[in-house]
Amino acid sequence: MESPFSDMDWLDTASNTLDLAIQKGLYTEFSHLKSDLDRIRFIHNHRSSLLSNTFERYLSSTSSSLTKNATTAINFRKKGNDYFVNKNLSRAAWCYRASIALSIINSQDMALSYGNLSAVLFELNHYHESIRAIQLANDFYPNELKFKLVFRRAACYHKLNDPERSAYELKICRDLIKKTAGLDRKKIDSFCKEMDQLSGQIALLNKRKEEEQHQEQEHTKSYKNLDDLIQHSQTPTETLATCLLKSTEEKIDNEFCPPSPPSPPRSVFLINESNLLLHGPNEHVPCASTTLNVAYSKDKGRHIIANQDIPSDSLILNERPYACLLLPKFAYTYCDHCLTSIVIPYVCPQCSHVLFCSEHCQQRALASYHQYECKHIHVLKTLGIAFLAYRTLTITDHETLWTTITQTTIPNENEIKTNFYKSDYFSIQKLITHTEQMSIDDLFHYSLTAYLLSEIIKSTNFLQCNQIKKRDTEQILLASILLKHIQQMICNAQTISITKTNQIDEIIFDNEDDQDEITKRFASAIFPTCALMNHSCVPNIRCVFDQGYLRVYTARSIRQGEEILNCYGPQKTLMPSTEQRQNVLFEQYFFKCQCEGCIDMIKSQGDKMTNGEN
């Protein structure tokens, strides 16, 4: 299936601009700049000579998939129908979700796709979700076809063991068929047979329920006194309180039996995530276990150590991402806000680039960061990790943003011991950048990208100042912060992967999915606390992304005082060559690995050379 996303090659644009700066003798001036603010001012001051109308071209560009597209939506729905006929339900569901994303809001096309998605959900035994999809389709569904939706809803209630509501929906279905003119007689006859079958099943279910109620009434007795009640307890484990309660409930049921309520939604269990941590949450680091401390040293910076012995397979960190970003190809599979797999999609009214898993996520995203992305999201999605830097800034409220920017300092050992460490914007501001180790070419590229991002922000209502000069000053400051965030994301962002063996739900399918791929990367995110973990090619933890949390478990027993170590690049088991691993790590993270796995390998190689081995 063809990707609905456009592809603008910003990397080529930045490279051409770098060549132009060299030709005009401006590159040397840029190379001597020491701060992110000075680099952004340089781009701002030389904008006309270096960039001409480059930013304007990007900001005025349009994408074929930016706005809703009825033709493309219909094509995706037709593909979904073909997959449905061939019983490829996961691919059918993906196509229907894509069609919903591309359909004009509150249109018949959208309603038809929701209706077709409800059929897939029914076949996959997701009856509550099927009913919800029918509800979303109902208002704009063609009147002459609504009886199909109502019949499917009746079948859902039957499967949910709710014969009263199923019979009620079936009656509505019959009435709709009678009122609808021009229906094909053969199809109606076939449909009526299906309704008759469902009616028979409902009758059997009602009869079974009546028999069960009759049996219960046969066993119901009126007791003369308390002694008689105790004597007739049915099981030896049945307590007095239970008997008294049952007797009271039976009397109420006999006096009045209210109509059955609507079938409840699928059960949702609210779990206090902090209670899952080994020995509970840390007083100073809420998303960490009490078994951990944040430490500081000049050679390691901030890092995490165990303050006691920790057994293997223990949950020691449990953190939500401060900001996260889906890879474009997964936009119709996972929620853009919480990264949960989508069963029923909720849309952006304007663009077709995102879907949400619930009304809650939809409303939160539209009210916060997405309003600053929607118009230019086709550009943002081509900027890679810089897009995550952009979202990290726009997801932060203005008061927190400006307060944090003016207060940020480099942490010292006393701060580590006395301050709380939360998963907030203040913690992100203090993450390292490795600016000194980056090449001038890279810094030039990142500076251009940060300035482009600030131009996008400027085109929205994010900047609160209306005066032109003050807006320019605010834009330059924000661009410098974005430049810092880009550098931070390169060194600190976490890749989020999912293992296919965990995907037990057939509804999960990705466009152009690699059937042989076991583990796939589908998003990137910034986790301020987990970012404190240093690297090892033989890590003592393992990370699992689940229910919107990055859960960090011990991979083996950890001794008191031992550092908690993550793996930034390929593990030793996947890339045995120490030289290759160190090259990969140095290229992105600017350090030469000195972990146990690398030192042991280097020592072993040295011993072989000493002994004359090849």
Side-chain angles (χ1 to χ4, degrees):
M1 287 175 281
E2 184 180 354
S3 172
F5 301 110
S6 63
D7 183 16
M8 300 180 67
D9 197 352
W10 172 249
L11 182 60
D12 285 346
T13 300
S15 298
N16 293 336
T17 305
L18 176 61
D19 292 339
L20 184 60
I22 294 173
Q23 293 173 13
K24 293 191 174 187
L26 296 173
Y27 182 81
T28 303
E29 179 184 346
F30 181 86
S31 67
H32 288 97
L33 300 177
K34 299 300 181 183
S35 72
D36 290 335
L37 187 58
D38 288 340
R39 295 181 184 99
I40 293 299
R41 283 175 177 157
F42 174 90
I43 301 297
H44 181 77
N45 294 335
H46 295 284
R47 169 175 174 164
S48 58
S49 60
L50 288 177
L51 296 158
S52 185
N53 296 320
T54 300
F55 291 135
E56 287 77 9
R57 178 170 58 85
Y58 272 84
L59 294 179
S60 62
S61 65
T62 58
S63 167
S64 59
S65 60
L66 172 60
T67 54
K68 306 299 184 179
N69 189 313
T71 301
T72 310
I74 291 171
N75 289 337
F76 271 115
R77 189 171 72 248
K78 288 179 178 178
K79 287 182 180 179
N81 294 343
D82 293 338
Y83 283 126
F84 184 80
V85 170
N86 293 322
K87 301 298 181 182
N88 195 332
L89 300 181
S90 58
R91 288 178 181 264
W94 189 94
C95 287
Y96 293 144
R97 294 196 299 268
S99 179
I100 290 167
L102 288 157
S103 297
I104 297 171
I105 193 74
N106 295 335
S107 65
Q108 188 175 98
D109 287 330
M110 179 176 282
L112 287 168
S113 294
Y114 270 122
N116 291 3
L117 180 60
S118 73
V120 174
L121 295 171
F122 180 86
E123 293 297 321
L124 292 171
N125 303 326
H126 292 302
Y127 304 120
H128 288 291
E129 290 81 356
S130 181
I131 291 171
R132 178 57 180 152
I134 291 169
Q135 182 181 353
L136 291 169
N138 186 67
D139 290 346
F140 299 93
Y141 208 77
N143 288 328
E144 65 273 15
L145 299 176
K146 277 191 176 180
F147 68 90
K148 293 185 177 181
L149 290 183
V150 179
F151 177 74
R152 187 172 300 130
R153 189 160 56 200
C156 286
Y157 282 124
H158 173 67
K159 293 290 186 179
L160 292 170
N161 202 29
D162 192 342
E164 291 84 0
R165 287 187 67 90
S166 183
Y168 176 76
E169 296 289 350
L170 205 56
K171 180 179 181 302
I172 296 176
C173 182
R174 293 181 187 278
D175 292 341
L176 285 173
I177 290 176
K178 292 177 182 177
K179 295 177 182 179
T180 304
L183 294 176
D184 183 84
R185 187 65 191 174
K186 290 184 177 179
K187 290 184 178 180
I188 291 302
D189 289 343
S190 175
F191 204 76
C192 287
K193 288 181 180 179
E194 291 184 38
M195 287 194 294
D196 289 339
Q197 290 177 357
L198 182 58
S199 296
Q201 293 173 356
I202 293 171
L204 288 174
L205 185 59
N206 277 325
K207 184 178 180 181
R208 192 180 303 120
K209 281 194 168 187
E210 290 175 359
E211 290 175 352
E212 290 174 355
Q213 292 175 356
H214 180 70
Q215 290 176 0
E216 288 180 3
Q217 291 175 356
E218 288 293 322
H219 287 90
T220 301
K221 296 183 178 181
S222 298
Y223 302 109
K224 299 178 181 179
N225 50 45
L226 185 61
D227 293 335
D228 192 26
L229 174 62
I230 296 173
Q231 183 178 353
H232 287 85
S233 294
Q234 293 181 0
T235 65
T237 58
E238 194 168 24
T239 64
L240 174 61
T242 305
C243 294
L244 291 171
L245 180 62
K246 182 190 292 187
S247 179
T248 305
E249 289 175 346
E250 286 172 350
K251 289 180 180 178
I252 294 174
D253 289 341
N254 289 334
E255 292 172 3
F256 174 69
C257 183
S260 61
S263 295
R266 184 163 295 201
S267 299
V268 176
F269 297 97
L270 298 178
I271 300 173
N272 187 343
E273 292 286 338
S274 62
N275 290 338
L276 300 176
L277 293 164
L278 179 66
H279 302 328
N282 192 298
E283 182 180 358
H284 296 288
V285 189
C287 69
S289 162
T290 56
T291 61
L292 303 181
N293 285 341
V294 176
Y296 176 83
S297 66
K298 290 184 179 180
D299 57 332
K300 292 184 177 181
R302 292 174 300 172
H303 55 284
I304 301 176
I305 62 172
N307 58 38
Q308 57 185 275
D309 291 348
I310 305 175
S312 178
D313 205 34
S314 299
L315 181 63
I316 56 174
L317 275 167
N318 199 28
E319 186 174 22
R320 276 193 180 279
Y322 183 82
C324 56
L325 188 66
L326 275 174
L327 295 182
K329 67 171 287 188
F330 299 110
Y332 298 157
T333 304
Y334 298 99
C335 177
D336 190 71
H337 184 71
C338 72
L339 305 183
T340 300
S341 57
I342 296 173
V343 178
I344 300 177
Y346 294 81
V347 303
C348 167
Q350 303 299 326
C351 79
S352 57
H353 284 278
V354 298
L355 285 176
F356 307 99
C357 66
S358 64
E359 287 178 290
H360 172 77
C361 285
Q362 177 196 47
Q363 292 169 6
R364 291 197 65 179
L366 297 182
S368 56
Y369 60 88
H370 187 70
Q371 61 181 304
Y372 309 120
E373 301 173 359
C374 188
K375 186 178 178 181
H376 299 292
I377 196 168
H378 61 294
V379 176
L380 289 166
K381 280 181 174 287
T382 67
L383 300 180
I385 203 69
F387 187 7
L388 181 59
Y390 182 90
R391 184 171 288 185
T392 298
L393 188 143
T394 56
I395 206 171
T396 308
D397 66 90
H398 284 77
E399 182 178 356
T400 300
L401 177 65
W402 295 112
T403 301
T404 306
I405 289 173
T406 56
Q407 291 182 354
T408 300
T409 58
I410 298 174
N412 56 47
E413 189 171 2
N414 291 330
E415 288 181 322
I416 296 297
K417 291 180 179 179
T418 58
N419 288 358
F420 287 97
Y421 190 93
K422 296 182 179 179
S423 299
D424 56 13
Y425 188 69
F426 184 78
S427 297
I428 289 175
Q429 272 287 333
K430 294 199 174 193
L431 294 174
I432 60 172
T433 60
H434 287 303
T435 305
E436 296 78 8
Q437 286 81 27
M438 291 183 177
S439 70
I440 301 301
D441 287 10
D442 284 343
L443 287 174
F444 190 89
H445 182 186
Y446 301 152
S447 299
L448 287 173
T449 305
Y451 197 85
L452 172 63
L453 293 175
S454 73
E455 284 287 309
I456 294 175
I457 285 184
K458 189 178 178 180
S459 69
T460 69
N461 62 350
F462 188 85
L463 300 181
Q464 297 182 329
C465 181
N466 295 322
Q467 298 180 13
I468 296 177
K469 288 186 177 180
K470 288 187 176 180
R471 281 177 68 85
D472 287 344
T473 301
E474 190 174 347
Q475 177 191 357
I476 290 172
L477 181 56
L478 285 179
S480 69
I481 298 303
L482 284 164
L483 176 53
K484 178 181 179 179
H485 285 338
I486 290 172
Q487 297 168 75
Q488 289 173 318
M489 297 304 135
I490 291 170
C491 302
N492 296 282
Q494 176 94 20
T495 294
I496 299 178
S497 301
I498 191 167
T499 304
K500 281 192 175 182
T501 54
N502 293 336
Q503 295 183 3
I504 58 174
D505 196 339
E506 290 185 45
I507 202 67
I508 303 304
F509 168 75
D510 309 312
N511 187 24
E512 300 176 353
D513 199 12
D514 184 354
Q515 299 297 326
D516 298 325
E517 190 179 20
I518 298 175
T519 300
K520 57 186 177 183
R521 170 179 174 249
F522 73 97
S524 296
I526 184 69
F527 299 89
T529 305
C530 291
L532 297 182
M533 291 186 291
N534 283 326
H535 166 80
S536 172
C537 296
V538 281
N540 53 16
I541 58 96
R542 58 182 179 86
C543 298
V544 178
F545 189 77
D546 180 45
Q547 301 292 318
Y549 284 83
L550 186 67
R551 307 190 194 276
V552 179
Y553 295 87
T554 52
R556 58 172 175 79
S557 298
I558 297 176
R559 300 296 299 274
Q560 181 179 358
E562 188 177 350
E563 185 176 357
I564 307 301
L565 298 169
N566 194 8
C567 182
Y568 296 175
Q571 295 189 23
K572 183 179 178 180
T573 54
L574 299 177
M575 186 180 288
S577 171
T578 301
E579 183 179 358
Q580 288 182 355
R581 291 200 311 274
Q582 292 196 341
N583 288 339
V584 169
L585 292 168
F586 190 81
E587 183 177 348
Q588 180 169 354
Y589 300 104
F590 311 103
F591 69 87
K592 185 176 181 181
C593 185
Q594 299 292 324
C595 74
E596 178 183 351
C598 290
I599 295 299
D600 289 347
M601 182 63 69
I602 293 172
K603 183 179 178 181
S604 174
Q605 290 173 350
D607 292 342
K608 288 181 179 180
M609 291 178 65
T610 302
N611 296 329
E613 296 181 20
N614 294 322

